[in-house]
Every structure is written in C-alpha cells, then in structure tokens.
Amino acid sequence: MANVIIDKISKSNGVLGDIRVDPGSLVPLVPPPPPRNLKSTSTKATQISVAWDPPLHSKHYGVNTYIILYKQHTLKFWTTVKTQKNTGNYVIKNLKPNTVYVISVEAVNVYGKGVRSEIIKIKTVEDIILAMLWRDFKWAVVSAGVAFVVLVVVVVFLCYRRSRRRGTKKRDRTRRNVDNFAVPSKDFATTGLEMAQLASRFREIPRDQVLLGELLGVGQYSQMVSGYLKEDKTHCAIKILKEGASHQDYRDLMNELEIMSSLDAHPNIINLIGACTVEGPLYVIIELAEHGCLLDYLRKNYMNSAHEGKEVTLLTKVDKIRIALDVAKGLEHLARHRCVPRDLAAHNVLLGANRTAKLTDFGLARDLYAEKNGYYAEMSIKQKLPVQRMAIEAIETLVATKESDVWSFGVLLWEIESGGQVPFPGLQTKEILKTLKKGYRLSQPPHCPNEIYALMMDCWHGDPLRRPIIDHLTSVLDGRLCAARRDEVIKDITSNA
C-alpha cells in the first residue's frame, strides 16, 4: 500500500487531488519491502558472493542495512549476518565445498526488518585439492580409522573391568555419604574440586552477613525467602532447599548456581549476587524483584479498571510494549550464553526497579532442548505440562526448540495484551492440539493493536521455520516502542494546545 501511494504521488509530481505533496518527503512508518533481483556473482569452494538491488523506493523507507540469511539446503536452521553498511553485495564465507545452500536477504530500517527477498539456491564448487588427496590416500585413512576404533574398544573394555572391581568396595562408602544430604539443616557435603571450579565465578558471602526474612514462594525443590546483606546494605532474595530435600535436590540447586554464575549481568534477567556454600546450608542469593510477578501485576491493573465495567487495562500501549521488549532482550541475552527459560510465561517474569521485566528460572539450552531427556519430557513425568503455551510440534514430540520458544513468546504477548487472562481456559491437551492443528489461534484481545496481534500470529505459524527469530522480534518491538512513544508525545501536545 505504501508503494502504491508513493508511485501515485511521484507520477503526478506531488499532486494528489487537491493536495500537493513533496514526493521526496514521504517516509512510510513501516519496515521496508523485500530487496530485488538477488543473485550469485561468484562461487568458490568455501564462499559465495551475492548481490541484490535495493527495495522499491528504498530511500523513502530509510533502509540502513541488510540481513543475509543462509543455510544448507538440507538443514532447518538459518544463519543470519548483518551487513556493516547499506550495501548491495556480500561475501558469505566459511562454507562447505560441493554443498547446496539457500540464500535470502532482508532490508532493515528503524521500524524493523522487512519481508525476505526471493530465495536462491547456489552450490559451492568442489575442493580440488581435497578430492585429489582423498583419491590417492583414502585406503590409508580408512585403515587408520579402523585401527583407532579397535584401540578405543579395547581401552573401554579394560576400564570397565577395572571399575567393576572397585565398585563393590566403594558402594557402602557412597551410601553413607549420600545419607549426609538428607535434610537442609545439615551441611551438604561437596567436593573441593567442584567448589574450586565454581569459586572464581561467584562471590562467596559470609553467612553472618546474611539476614533471612519472610517466605516469598515455594518451588519444586526449593523455597524463596527475602533477605538483607548487612555489608552491602542491600535487600535480596535467597533460594534455599526445603525441609526433607534429597541429594538430587541439592545437586539441582548447585546446577542452578553454576548456570547463573556463568551468565553476565543483564537488566532483563534475575542476576546472581553471590552464595553461601560453606559452614551451613546452601544459599543462592539473587536480586530481589521488588514489584513481584508480571502475571499478578497484569491482573491487578485489569481488575482495577474492570470494576467500572470497562474491559481495559490501566497499562498504556507504551507500558505493554516496553514489558514485551524487556522479555525479548532477556531472551536474546540468554541465547548468547546458550541458555533458555524453562517455562516462558507471565508467571515466570518478575518486575524489578521501574517495573523492568526480568526473566527467571532458566537452564542450559543443551539440556532443555535434548530430544530424549529434555525439559518437556522431564516435566511430563513430574508435573502437568503447560500445553496452553506450547507449540504444536512441542505438544506432539515433547521436544523444546528455539522455534517453540518463539511460539511461547507469542502467548506471553497475548497475556500482556489480555490483562493476564488464561489461554485456552477449560480445554484439555487433546482439545488444544486439535484446535491448533485446524488452524485456530487465540483471538485478538480487546484494544490490542493490529500490528502487535500480527506479531503474535507470526510467532504461532504452523511451520516452525517460518516463525521469526528472537533478534527480529526485538527489532520490531523496539520500532513499535519508538512509534508508541512518539504518538504519546503528539497526543500530549495536541491535548494541551
């Protein structure tokens, strides 16, 4: 539509009915159209050079950079790279020889990423030197490989026999050691090596500097209490084991400490302050989210206005988009450290100072995305699955992926816009799955902007590979937030005029 208007005004020299417009001043407040005429200009064994023409009316759209997307033809996931400047060509490097790649390009402006260009297929050429070496020495390589495999099998067998001899002697001693982990009021023994590895990652806080406060909440294996650090003069939250905790519960809390200590501090996650690991029970000390849970905050604001007969929230458009952008930035930060949230939902987002949204309860991507013992598979054994927030393929396979996390982010957007309502209330797992596979999705909440609902629908695409990546969501929400703030300023000016 924007291109049609620009074409009409340009062809009429700025005359549109009784209105005269300077064609050069037209600036559509939307992401740009797709780049045109994408093609390969040269192909080598490990690199492909591509070139393209800018989108139609690119100057009006203010295109400032491009994003190149490429992947092997047989793989699911795209690799993305952003050009350093507004250019029409790029060299994709570090590719595999004699391999088919699919390539596309997106234009970017201040309002986000535009539609992808057409996809082209290019095959890298064969590495001639490697082909000649393989032809001349392949039998030597195969023989060496077989010898290595035989050697590994022999070593493994000898180690197995040795460990079985020692197993009987150590079994009773191990059983006695595990008994020491029975209750949290006792010290949980841990190896010196384990703590030495972690010591450099987190701050050991003297136990006499920690004051315990009231109970804030209870989890599966731990409980959260408020606290105060006397030396820092800082309020905090402290995660400790529940009464009757098992050795495995202790290991889980230690694993959580290890994960949090490996992350750089970020304003949109709950950050680690330190821990107490010696001379007493384990304390994991984290930031205190002074404004509590996002879900409670959404419902409180919704109810405050609902009693007047208006099904609207007290939160402004800027408030809601800012919270969504905070969550997206937190997801970006976790992804850079190969971590993901365990259950992305409003009840697992906390609000800190200035009601900044912060993600909590996250784990390692390699553990949560595992096909056999991943997060959903483990959860299905212990508790009810959050099927209202799960993607179609995640419900069917119990396997979490980056794409299924994007689906859950779309449901979180819906929770924010609906005032914390429950998605698919009253429906069982089979009913939800049947509804989703028929193409039905959560309906647009009242007063939800069309562009935000469109973003939700993108996150809920039936094809996981056609859902946006989290970087794209962050870029789009950032553009929407700027536009919403600009609209508020204009509204204030006009209302006071």
Side-chain angles (χ1 to χ4, degrees):
M1 178 60 74
N3 285 343
V4 173
I5 295 174
I6 294 172
D7 283 337
K8 286 185 177 180
I9 293 176
S10 299
K11 291 177 180 178
S12 62
N13 294 321
V15 178
L16 189 62
D18 296 330
I19 303 173
R20 189 169 190 85
V21 180
D22 178 8
S25 66
L26 296 175
V27 180
L29 304 181
V30 293
R36 301 168 296 162
N37 303 324
L38 176 63
K39 60 184 178 181
S40 170
T41 56
S42 75
T43 305
K44 299 181 180 180
T46 60
Q47 66 183 46
I48 298 173
S49 299
V50 292
W52 60 89
D53 295 333
L56 196 63
H57 305 303
S58 62
K59 292 183 179 179
H60 292 281
Y61 284 93
V63 174
N64 52 40
T65 188
Y66 292 93
I67 293 178
I68 296 31
L69 303 95
Y70 65 94
K71 66 172 184 174
Q72 291 184 40
H73 178 58
T74 57
L75 299 183
K76 291 184 177 180
F77 303 111
W78 293 86
T79 299
T80 61
V81 59
K82 183 179 291 187
T83 61
Q84 296 298 318
K85 58 183 179 178
N86 186 0
T87 182
N89 54 77
Y90 189 79
V91 179
I92 306 172
K93 300 179 180 180
N94 301 319
L95 303 179
K96 292 184 177 181
N98 198 31
T99 303
V100 177
Y101 284 86
V102 290
I103 305 169
S104 184
V105 181
E106 295 172 338
V108 181
N109 64 7
V110 295
Y111 299 103
K113 301 175 186 176
V115 180
R116 291 182 185 177
S117 69
E118 73 276 17
I119 294 176
I120 60 173
K121 289 184 180 179
I122 305 295
K123 185 176 182 180
T124 53
V125 300
E126 186 177 9
D127 192 317
I128 298 176
I129 296 177
L130 287 178
M132 292 176 62
L133 288 174
W134 174 249
R135 183 192 62 193
D136 295 338
F137 298 102
K138 63 181 177 181
W139 292 114
V141 173
V142 171
S143 301
V146 171
F148 178 75
V149 171
V150 172
L151 178 62
V152 169
V153 170
V154 171
V155 171
V156 170
F157 176 74
L158 293 175
C159 291
Y160 172 73
R161 290 191 60 186
R162 185 176 182 183
S163 65
R164 287 201 62 182
R165 292 195 200 101
R166 294 183 176 181
T168 303
K169 296 179 181 179
K170 289 189 175 182
R171 193 172 295 122
D172 292 337
R173 184 175 59 190
T174 302
R175 187 176 292 113
R176 289 195 297 272
N177 288 343
V178 171
D179 291 340
N180 293 332
F181 296 85
V183 293
S185 58
K186 296 180 181 180
D187 290 350
F188 284 89
T190 185
T191 66
L193 175 61
E194 180 181 65
M195 292 313 303
Q197 292 171 334
L198 280 177
S200 60
R201 297 186 185 176
F202 70 87
R203 171 189 171 196
E204 179 70 39
I205 299 177
R207 203 170 294 273
D208 59 5
Q209 294 295 316
V210 181
L211 297 179
L212 299 182
E214 61 183 6
L215 181 67
L216 298 176
V218 178
Q220 181 180 340
Y221 60 86
S222 63
Q223 56 191 3
M224 191 77 73
V225 299
S226 63
Y228 184 76
L229 302 181
K230 293 187 287 186
E231 184 178 351
D232 296 11
K233 298 181 181 180
T234 301
H235 292 277
C236 61
I238 304 173
K239 185 172 284 191
I240 60 177
L241 292 171
K242 295 191 294 188
E243 285 295 326
S246 66
H247 176 56
Q248 184 57 47
D249 294 333
Y250 169 78
R251 298 298 307 170
D252 288 342
L253 187 56
M254 279 293 297
N255 183 57
E256 192 169 338
L257 171 61
E258 182 174 6
I259 292 171
M260 295 189 73
S261 65
S262 68
L263 295 172
D264 296 330
H266 191 274
N268 298 122
I269 66 171
I270 292 295
N271 294 292
L272 178 70
I273 297 176
C276 299
T277 62
V278 296
E279 298 179 356
L282 175 61
Y283 291 170
V284 177
I285 302 169
I286 59 179
E287 288 180 315
L288 178 66
E290 55 198 75
H291 292 290
C293 169
L294 172 60
L295 183 61
D296 294 339
Y297 178 66
L298 294 171
R299 289 177 176 176
K300 178 182 176 182
N301 281 277
Y302 182 81
M303 289 190 297
N304 282 343
S305 56
H307 79 278
E308 300 175 359
K310 300 178 181 178
E311 293 187 349
V312 294
T313 175
L314 293 178
L315 299 179
T316 66
K317 183 178 180 180
V318 168
D319 291 332
K320 292 184 285 187
I321 297 178
R322 180 187 54 77
I323 291 172
L325 180 59
D326 283 348
V327 174
K329 288 180 177 178
L331 290 172
E332 262 192 330
H333 178 72
L334 291 178
R336 282 195 291 270
H337 291 79
R338 299 184 179 180
C339 288
V340 286
R342 296 180 190 274
D343 180 13
L344 183 57
H347 62 261
N348 276 333
V349 177
L350 302 179
L351 298 175
N354 301 318
R355 291 186 171 81
T356 299
K358 293 174 173 284
L359 291 173
T360 183
D361 190 20
F362 31 82
L364 293 175
R366 69 165 187 263
D367 297 331
L368 271 63
Y369 289 163
E371 291 191 7
K372 292 185 178 180
N373 299 308
Y375 178 64
Y376 287 144
E378 290 290 332
M379 178 184 281
S380 66
I381 299 172
K382 301 176 183 177
Q383 61 194 89
K384 187 176 179 180
L385 286 167
V387 290
Q388 296 94 336
R389 299 174 181 84
M390 290 170 60
I392 296 173
E393 70 277 5
I395 298 175
E396 292 181 319
T397 65
L398 297 184
V399 176
T401 63
K402 290 183 290 186
E403 291 79 15
S404 66
D405 284 344
V406 169
W407 180 294
S408 300
F409 180 79
V411 180
L412 176 60
L413 282 178
W414 185 88
E415 289 184 281
I416 294 172
E417 290 292 339
S418 67
Q421 293 187 33
V422 178
F424 301 111
L427 294 184
Q428 300 299 316
T429 300
K430 290 184 179 179
E431 296 171 307
I432 292 175
L433 182 58
K434 184 178 180 181
T435 299
L436 293 175
K437 294 189 78 170
K438 285 183 177 180
Y440 295 108
R441 299 294 185 262
L442 291 165
S443 59
Q444 185 171 355
H447 310 290
C448 172
N450 291 334
E451 63 269 19
I452 297 299
Y453 186 63
L455 197 60
M456 297 180 201
M457 293 297 289
D458 288 342
C459 294
W460 300 331
H461 200 289
D463 182 356
L465 298 182
R466 296 184 65 180
R467 295 171 199 158
I469 59 176
I470 193 61
D471 293 7
H472 175 70
L473 293 171
T474 303
S475 177
V476 171
L477 288 170
D478 195 21
R480 299 300 179 198
L481 182 60
C482 292
R485 283 173 171 162
R486 184 175 59 250
D487 291 343
E488 280 196 353
V489 172
I490 294 173
K491 183 178 179 181
D492 290 341
I493 292 174
T494 55
S495 62
N496 294 326

